[in-house]
Amino acid sequence: MTGWGWPTAFITDNAAVSVLGSVGTDDSFHLGNLLVNILFYSGVLSVAVGLGKQVGRR
């Protein structure tokens, strides 16, 4: 599994076939996990922007 994609990994490295740490055609891609990542990071970004606007008003 690569280190990218926290909180969930959406690309899984197939260590039995591919070179460890590189992404190739034989690795697994998980669309559901990618969507979870997009939702998570957009939530974090919206909270950060909201907090920034609150600090800017003071």
Side-chain angles (χ1 to χ4, degrees):
M1 186 179 329
T2 63
W4 317 337
W6 181 87
T8 61
F10 53 90
I11 299 174
T12 305
D13 195 15
N14 187 355
V17 179
S18 67
V19 177
L20 187 63
S22 67
V23 178
T25 57
D26 48 344
D27 296 329
S28 300
F29 175 76
H30 305 283
L31 182 61
N33 290 351
L34 176 63
L35 295 176
V36 168
N37 281 339
I38 290 171
L39 288 173
F40 176 81
Y41 287 118
S42 63
V44 168
L45 182 61
S46 66
V47 167
V49 168
L51 290 174
K53 286 182 179 181
Q54 283 184 343
V55 169
R57 289 183 198 154
R58 293 183 185 185

